[in-house]
Coordinates of all heavy atoms in Angstrom, one line a residue:
T1 N 2.4 -4.3 -14.2 CA 1.0 -4.0 -13.8 C 0.3 -5.1 -13.1 O -0.4 -4.9 -12.1 CB 0.2 -3.6 -15.1 OG1 0.9 -2.6 -15.8 CG2 -1.2 -3.2 -14.7
I2 N 0.6 -6.3 -13.5 CA 0.0 -7.5 -12.8 C 0.6 -7.6 -11.4 O -0.2 -7.9 -10.4 CB 0.3 -8.8 -13.6 CG1 -0.5 -8.8 -14.9 CG2 0.0 -10.0 -12.7 CD1 -0.2 -9.9 -15.8
M3 N 1.9 -7.3 -11.2 CA 2.5 -7.3 -9.9 C 1.8 -6.2 -9.0 O 1.6 -6.5 -7.8 CB 4.0 -7.1 -10.0 CG 4.7 -8.3 -10.5 SD 6.5 -8.1 -10.6 CE 6.9 -8.0 -8.9
I4 N 1.6 -5.1 -9.5 CA 1.0 -4.0 -8.8 C -0.4 -4.4 -8.4 O -0.8 -4.2 -7.2 CB 1.0 -2.7 -9.6 CG1 2.5 -2.2 -9.7 CG2 0.1 -1.6 -8.9 CD1 2.6 -1.0 -10.6
V5 N -1.2 -5.0 -9.3 CA -2.6 -5.4 -9.0 C -2.6 -6.4 -7.9 O -3.4 -6.4 -6.9 CB -3.3 -5.8 -10.2 CG1 -4.6 -6.5 -9.9 CG2 -3.5 -4.7 -11.2
I6 N -1.7 -7.4 -8.0 CA -1.6 -8.5 -6.9 C -1.2 -7.8 -5.6 O -1.8 -8.2 -4.6 CB -0.5 -9.5 -7.3 CG1 -1.1 -10.4 -8.5 CG2 -0.2 -10.4 -6.2 CD1 -0.1 -11.3 -9.1
G7 N -0.3 -6.9 -5.6 CA 0.1 -6.2 -4.3 C -1.1 -5.5 -3.7 O -1.3 -5.5 -2.5
V8 N -1.9 -4.8 -4.5 CA -3.0 -4.0 -4.0 C -4.1 -5.0 -3.5 O -4.7 -4.8 -2.4 CB -3.6 -3.1 -5.1 CG1 -5.0 -2.6 -4.8 CG2 -2.6 -2.0 -5.5
L9 N -4.3 -6.1 -4.2 CA -5.2 -7.1 -3.7 C -4.8 -7.7 -2.4 O -5.6 -8.0 -1.5 CB -5.5 -8.2 -4.7 CG -6.3 -7.8 -5.9 CD1 -6.3 -9.0 -6.9 CD2 -7.7 -7.5 -5.5
L10 N -3.5 -8.0 -2.2 CA -3.0 -8.5 -1.0 C -3.2 -7.5 0.2 O -3.5 -8.0 1.3 CB -1.5 -8.8 -1.1 CG -1.1 -10.2 -1.7 CD1 0.4 -10.2 -2.0 CD2 -1.5 -11.3 -0.8
I11 N -3.1 -6.3 -0.1 CA -3.2 -5.3 1.0 C -4.7 -5.1 1.3 O -5.1 -5.0 2.5 CB -2.6 -3.9 0.6 CG1 -1.1 -4.1 0.6 CG2 -3.0 -2.8 1.5 CD1 -0.3 -2.9 0.0
I12 N -5.5 -5.0 0.3 CA -7.0 -4.7 0.5 C -7.7 -5.9 1.1 O -8.5 -5.8 2.0 CB -7.6 -4.2 -0.8 CG1 -7.1 -2.8 -1.1 CG2 -9.1 -4.2 -0.6 CD1 -7.6 -2.3 -2.5
K13 N -7.4 -7.1 0.5 CA -8.1 -8.3 0.9 C -7.3 -9.2 1.9 O -7.4 -10.4 1.8 CB -8.5 -9.1 -0.3 CG -9.4 -8.4 -1.3 CD -10.8 -8.2 -0.7 CE -11.7 -7.6 -1.7 NZ -13.0 -7.4 -1.1
T14 N -6.6 -8.6 2.8 CA -5.8 -9.4 3.7 C -6.6 -10.3 4.5 O -6.2 -11.5 4.7 CB -5.0 -8.4 4.6 OG1 -4.2 -7.6 3.8 CG2 -4.1 -9.1 5.6
E15 N -7.7 -9.9 5.1 CA -8.5 -10.7 5.9 C -9.0 -11.9 5.1 O -9.1 -13.0 5.7 CB -9.7 -9.9 6.5 CG -10.5 -10.7 7.5 CD -9.6 -11.0 8.8 OE1 -8.7 -10.2 9.1 OE2 -9.9 -12.1 9.3
W16 N -9.4 -11.8 3.9 CA -9.9 -12.9 3.0 C -8.7 -13.9 2.9 O -9.0 -15.1 3.0 CB -10.3 -12.4 1.7 CG -10.8 -13.5 0.8 CD1 -12.1 -14.0 0.8 CD2 -10.1 -14.3 -0.2 NE1 -12.2 -15.0 -0.2 CE2 -11.0 -15.2 -0.7 CE3 -8.8 -14.2 -0.6 CZ2 -10.6 -16.1 -1.7 CZ3 -8.4 -15.1 -1.6 CH2 -9.3 -16.0 -2.1
F17 N -7.5 -13.5 2.6 CA -6.4 -14.4 2.5 C -6.1 -15.1 3.8 O -5.9 -16.3 3.8 CB -5.1 -13.7 2.1 CG -5.1 -13.3 0.6 CD1 -5.3 -12.0 0.2 CD2 -4.8 -14.3 -0.3 CE1 -5.3 -11.7 -1.2 CE2 -4.8 -14.0 -1.7 CZ -5.0 -12.7 -2.1
V18 N -6.2 -14.5 4.9 CA -6.0 -15.1 6.2 C -7.0 -16.1 6.5 O -6.8 -17.2 7.0 CB -5.9 -14.1 7.3 CG1 -5.8 -14.7 8.7 CG2 -4.6 -13.2 7.1
Q19 N -8.3 -15.8 6.2 CA -9.4 -16.7 6.5 C -9.3 -18.0 5.6 O -9.6 -19.1 6.0 CB -10.7 -16.1 6.3 CG -11.1 -15.1 7.4 CD -12.4 -14.4 7.1 OE1 -13.0 -14.5 6.0 NE2 -12.8 -13.5 8.0
N20 N -8.9 -17.8 4.3 CA -8.8 -18.9 3.4 C -7.6 -19.8 3.5 O -7.6 -21.0 3.2 CB -9.1 -18.4 2.0 CG -10.5 -18.1 1.8 OD1 -11.4 -18.9 1.9 ND2 -10.7 -16.8 1.4
F21 N -6.4 -19.1 3.8 CA -5.2 -19.9 3.8 C -4.6 -20.1 5.2 O -3.6 -20.8 5.4 CB -4.1 -19.1 3.0 CG -4.5 -19.0 1.5 CD1 -4.9 -17.8 1.0 CD2 -4.6 -20.2 0.7 CE1 -5.3 -17.7 -0.4 CE2 -4.9 -20.1 -0.6 CZ -5.3 -18.9 -1.1
G22 N -5.2 -19.5 6.2 CA -4.8 -19.7 7.6 C -3.7 -18.8 8.0 O -3.2 -17.9 7.3
T23 N -3.3 -18.9 9.3 CA -2.2 -18.1 9.8 C -0.9 -18.7 9.6 O -0.7 -19.9 9.4 CB -2.5 -17.8 11.3 OG1 -2.5 -19.1 12.0 CG2 -3.8 -17.1 11.5
N24 N 0.1 -17.9 9.8 CA 1.5 -18.3 9.7 C 2.1 -18.3 11.0 O 2.2 -17.2 11.7 CB 2.3 -17.3 8.7 CG 3.7 -17.8 8.4 OD1 4.3 -18.3 9.3 ND2 4.1 -17.5 7.2
A25 N 2.6 -19.4 11.5 CA 3.1 -19.5 12.9 C 4.3 -18.6 13.1 O 4.5 -17.9 14.1 CB 3.5 -20.9 13.3
W26 N 5.2 -18.5 12.1 CA 6.4 -17.7 12.2 C 6.0 -16.2 12.3 O 6.6 -15.5 13.2 CB 7.3 -17.9 11.0 CG 8.6 -17.1 11.1 CD1 9.7 -17.4 11.7 CD2 8.7 -15.8 10.5 NE1 10.6 -16.4 11.6 CE2 10.0 -15.4 10.9 CE3 7.9 -14.9 9.8 CZ2 10.5 -14.1 10.5 CZ3 8.4 -13.7 9.4 CH2 9.7 -13.3 9.7
A27 N 5.1 -15.8 11.5 CA 4.7 -14.4 11.5 C 4.0 -14.0 12.8 O 4.2 -12.9 13.3 CB 3.8 -14.1 10.3
E28 N 3.2 -14.9 13.3 CA 2.5 -14.7 14.5 C 3.5 -14.5 15.7 O 3.3 -13.7 16.6 CB 1.5 -15.8 14.9 CG 0.3 -15.8 13.9 CD -0.6 -14.6 13.9 OE1 -0.7 -14.0 15.0 OE2 -1.1 -14.3 12.8
E29 N 4.5 -15.3 15.7 CA 5.5 -15.3 16.8 C 6.4 -14.1 16.6 O 6.7 -13.4 17.6 CB 6.4 -16.6 16.7 CG 7.4 -16.6 17.8 CD 8.3 -17.8 17.7 OE1 7.9 -18.9 17.1 OE2 9.5 -17.8 18.1
K30 N 6.9 -13.8 15.4 CA 7.9 -12.7 15.3 C 7.4 -11.3 15.0 O 8.0 -10.4 15.4 CB 8.9 -13.1 14.1 CG 9.6 -14.4 14.2 CD 10.5 -14.4 15.4 CE 11.3 -15.7 15.4 NZ 12.1 -15.8 16.6
L31 N 6.2 -11.2 14.4 CA 5.7 -9.9 14.0 C 4.5 -9.4 14.8 O 4.1 -8.3 14.7 CB 5.2 -10.0 12.5 CG 6.3 -10.3 11.5 CD1 5.7 -10.4 10.1 CD2 7.4 -9.3 11.5
G32 N 4.0 -10.2 15.7 CA 2.9 -9.8 16.6 C 2.1 -11.0 17.1 O 2.1 -12.1 16.5

């Protein structure tokens, strides 16, 4: 249940995570 809640939060609050932790250079290059 904790894993499911963390997954839902990662999906819903993606923009918050990106703003607070920054971007990932590898993901920006390979995924878009």
